[in-house]
Amino acid sequence: MKKDYYEVLGVDRGADETAIKTAYRKLAMQYHPDRNPGDSEAEERFKEAAEAYEVLSNADKRQKYDRFGHDGLRGQGGGPGFTDINDIFSHFGDIFGGGFGGSIFEEVFGGGGGRGRSRGRRQGVPGSDLKIQLHLTLEEVATGVEKTLKVKRQTTCESCDGSGARAGTALEECAVCHGSGELQQVSRSLFGQFVNIVPCSNCGGEGRVVKEPCPDCHGDGRVQGEKTIKVKVPAGVSEGNYIPLRGQGDAGRKGGPAGDLMVYIREKEHEEFIRQDDDVMHNLVVSYADAVLGTEVEVPTLSGRARVKIEAGTPAGQILRMRDKGIPHLNSSGRGDQLVRVHVYVPRKVSAKERELLESMQASEGFQPGNKEEKKSFFGRIFDSLS
């Protein structure tokens, strides 16, 4: 199973273009093959980061991925799937150019010295993403549906308006980072000197600390609550797809931005149908007489009931196709079909009269398997129905 692109780059789902670019650049430097000679795991991480960046840096692909996950990129060119490291270098070489103070090779192996850049003080700590499961029937999948969800989550404390400080008091400047929210860590290696900028551990990167905590949220800026949210589910989704709802996750600590709510789709088991991609399968049981003589029967569909014709001489196992009675295609027009598999009912007990009739049929040449050509035709009808 493919990894989540946001997790690969280590960014949240609301990350802007600059954050995504910076995260990719950092990983590419860390797992660059020249820095990890002979390390196949580092090379794989390097490729994963390149694939994630290729999708998340493209507005159209990112929108499809955010809405439908990896399935949304199927057939859309999502994920470059590089097998040659040089392909990644040529495709993403510009990412390490202007705007970042020189190429990756200069910074890692040259005299760049790892010049640090201040990222600025954090405005609170971002809230966590939440994940919930939404169970749908096949009928709801086929038509699309709007659902109302009740979500338990961390909400902004009203008493302190999310600051975490008691009403009437102010936040104080952090004595460790002096309000910058960051600390510099200098390290030396064979590749030169590196300066890492990390969030201040004392204030969590905020630059300020709470002197008198709010009595309701105890300085966190959040309290436990519940919210009713509506989500629109498009027709054609499938098990494992998810819908991101921006800013509907946990509120951030001390005024930080809220996380996202990820609504994962689950399909309920259906009494009449089995889903096969965008087709649905229905098992139909007919009597032996109906299979031999032919008949017309009513079958359920996702949109009601419809009649289907059973031709005379229909063998057990044959599949009848009802066009456009399946699930709509998620990323294109049209929809799947409904497949009707024919099963012939064989009674366990028969009356004396029925046995007499069956014995006479058993002795009749017309009820005996014929020559090879007839047998070939019999099985050919079954295989043709599967194609």
Side-chain angles (χ1 to χ4, degrees):
M1 179 180 293
K2 279 194 173 186
K3 296 181 181 178
D4 181 86
Y5 288 146
Y6 290 99
E7 293 180 1
V8 169
L9 295 184
V11 297
D12 60 47
R13 294 185 173 273
D16 60 17
E17 182 180 353
T18 300
I20 290 173
K21 200 171 187 179
T22 301
Y24 169 53
R25 179 175 177 276
K26 179 180 178 181
L27 290 173
M29 291 175 65
Q30 180 180 354
Y31 295 109
H32 191 281
D34 289 345
R35 297 185 66 179
N36 303 274
D39 189 340
S40 59
E41 182 178 352
E43 181 177 325
E44 187 60 31
R45 294 289 297 274
F46 187 71
K47 292 179 181 179
E48 286 178 351
E51 179 175 336
Y53 175 75
E54 195 273 344
V55 172
L56 299 185
S57 63
N58 182 296
D60 182 59
K61 290 181 180 180
R62 183 178 181 181
Q63 184 180 30
K64 288 184 172 68
Y65 178 74
D66 283 348
R67 192 164 181 80
F68 307 116
H70 292 290
D71 288 347
L73 300 174
R74 191 179 300 161
Q76 303 292 319
F82 296 112
T83 57
D84 187 343
I85 287 295
N86 292 320
D87 291 341
I88 302 178
F89 293 160
S90 61
H91 193 76
F92 296 109
D94 64 309
I95 188 66
F96 302 106
F100 285 98
S103 74
I104 184 173
F105 305 103
E106 292 173 350
E107 179 142 353
V108 176
F109 303 107
R115 292 184 299 273
R117 300 189 332 275
S118 177
R119 294 170 294 178
R121 187 174 64 189
R122 289 187 184 181
Q123 296 300 314
V125 180
S128 301
D129 292 343
L130 299 179
K131 298 179 181 180
I132 63 172
Q133 295 185 359
L134 178 59
H135 295 264
L136 302 176
T137 65
L138 280 181
E139 287 84 356
E140 290 172 329
V141 169
T143 60
V145 66
E146 182 176 87
K147 289 286 190 177
T148 300
L149 310 174
K150 285 188 176 181
V151 181
K152 291 183 178 180
R153 63 177 194 170
Q154 295 281 352
T155 61
T156 300
C157 176
E158 295 182 358
S159 299
C160 64
D161 199 25
S163 70
R166 180 189 293 273
T169 65
L171 299 177
E172 291 186 345
E173 182 181 280
C174 175
V176 176
C177 66
H178 305 291
S180 69
E182 298 175 335
L183 297 175
Q184 292 187 356
Q185 295 180 342
V186 180
S187 60
R188 297 180 182 275
S189 70
L190 294 175
F191 304 110
Q193 177 177 293
F194 293 88
V195 178
N196 294 322
I197 306 298
V198 297
C200 173
S201 58
N202 184 58
C203 63
E206 297 177 52
R208 299 177 299 172
V209 293
V210 175
K211 181 179 180 181
E212 296 185 41
C214 169
D216 291 336
C217 65
H218 307 290
D220 188 67
R222 307 176 301 174
V223 294
Q224 188 67 33
E226 184 177 79
K227 184 174 182 180
T228 299
I229 300 172
K230 290 186 176 181
V231 56
K232 289 185 177 180
V233 182
V237 296
S238 57
E239 180 88 10
N241 287 161
Y242 61 85
I243 301 173
L245 301 179
R246 299 298 185 196
Q248 299 296 338
D250 280 340
R253 293 182 59 244
K254 299 180 181 178
D260 299 331
L261 174 63
M262 314 302 293
V263 182
Y264 282 82
I265 303 300
R266 295 289 180 263
E267 293 178 9
K268 296 180 181 179
E269 186 175 345
H270 202 284
E271 292 183 357
E272 301 286 355
F273 303 109
I274 299 172
R275 183 173 181 177
Q276 299 179 349
D277 295 325
D278 286 340
D279 295 336
V280 292
M281 173 73 75
H282 172 68
N283 290 302
L284 174 67
V285 181
V286 299
S287 69
Y288 176 70
D290 285 340
V292 173
L293 302 177
T295 186
E296 189 174 277
V297 297
E298 192 177 72
V299 296
T301 71
L302 292 174
S303 58
R305 301 189 71 82
R307 299 192 70 80
V308 61
K309 186 175 182 180
I310 308 297
E311 298 288 349
T314 295
Q318 181 161 331
I319 296 177
L320 310 178
R321 187 178 295 272
M322 302 174 71
R323 299 289 179 183
D324 301 324
K325 295 290 187 182
I327 305 293
H329 302 316
L330 182 60
N331 292 319
S332 61
S333 59
R335 60 194 303 145
D337 303 326
Q338 176 167 319
L339 309 177
V340 180
R341 189 192 300 274
V342 177
H343 298 267
V344 176
Y345 173 69
V346 178
R348 293 181 179 272
K349 295 181 180 180
V350 294
S351 65
K353 183 177 180 180
E354 289 167 341
R355 175 176 292 277
E356 184 179 343
L357 290 172
L358 288 171
E359 288 175 346
S360 65
M361 290 166 58
Q362 190 176 44
S364 173
E365 184 177 344
F367 285 90
Q368 298 299 319
N371 55 36
K372 291 183 178 180
E373 289 299 321
E374 289 176 329
K375 289 181 179 179
K376 182 179 179 181
S377 175
F378 173 83
F379 290 108
R381 280 180 287 169
I382 295 180
F383 294 137
D384 288 343
S385 69
L386 297 173
S387 61

